[in-house]
């Protein structure tokens, strides 16, 4: 199960590290410091910071990333919500009463 916090994930810095999903973000920070040469060769996915792929494969990963759908859907929801707000917004401004008579 992808959402199981106890499932094991392989570390991108050291293939022998098997980390529980709930600890994975913390492990990435620690391993990035421990393996700076490997870290230079990896790029972070713009849709999920847990996805670290070789720099040469990043564009291919972006096309296929399973989390891209969540990002795109969220963007659509936000923009349609903004458009709805714009359509529903009506001006409540009223000119203040004027005591001046410009004709006189």
């Amino acid at each position: 199960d992808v959402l199981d916090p106890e499932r094991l994930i392989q570390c991108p810095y050291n293939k022998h590290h098997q980390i529980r999903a709930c600890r994975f973000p913390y492990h990435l920070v620690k391993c990035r410091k421990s393996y700076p040469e490997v870290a230079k060769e990896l790029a972070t996915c713009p849709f999920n910071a847990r996805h670290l792929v070789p720099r040469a494969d990043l564009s291919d990963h972006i096309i296929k990333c399973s989390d891209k759908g969540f990002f795109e859907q969220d963007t659509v929801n936000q923009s349609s919500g903004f458009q709805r707000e714009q359509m529903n917004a009506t001006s409540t401004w009223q000119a203040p009463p004027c005591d001046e008579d410009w004709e006189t």
Side-chain angles (χ1 to χ4, degrees):
D1 182 20
V2 177
L3 300 177
D4 179 13
E6 296 300 316
R7 72 182 158 84
L8 294 178
I9 302 174
Q10 184 176 345
C11 173
Y13 298 106
N14 184 328
K15 303 301 181 192
H16 300 289
H17 293 174
Q18 296 293 318
I19 313 305
R20 288 181 299 139
C22 61
R23 298 289 309 156
F24 195 66
Y26 306 104
H27 180 83
L28 286 177
V29 171
K30 182 180 142 212
C31 254
R32 179 178 290 126
K33 292 176 185 175
S34 299
Y35 299 95
E37 292 304 314
V38 178
K40 289 178 188 175
E41 298 172 11
L42 297 176
T44 304
C45 170
F47 306 115
N48 187 335
R50 296 178 183 191
H51 296 170
L52 296 168
V53 295
R55 289 193 183 280
D57 299 340
L58 182 61
S59 59
D60 196 38
H61 172 82
I62 289 172
I63 293 169
K64 298 175 183 175
C65 182
S66 59
D67 290 329
K68 180 170 69 169
F70 297 118
F71 180 79
E72 289 172 342
Q73 185 61 44
D74 191 42
T75 303
V76 168
N77 289 344
Q78 286 179 358
S79 65
S80 66
F82 177 75
Q83 289 170 347
R84 253 185 270 117
E85 288 174 17
Q86 291 297 321
M87 289 171 50
N88 293 337
T90 57
S91 177
T92 57
W93 184 83
Q94 294 181 350
C98 181
D99 295 333
E100 297 177 343
D101 183 1
W102 286 72
E103 299 298 321
T104 57

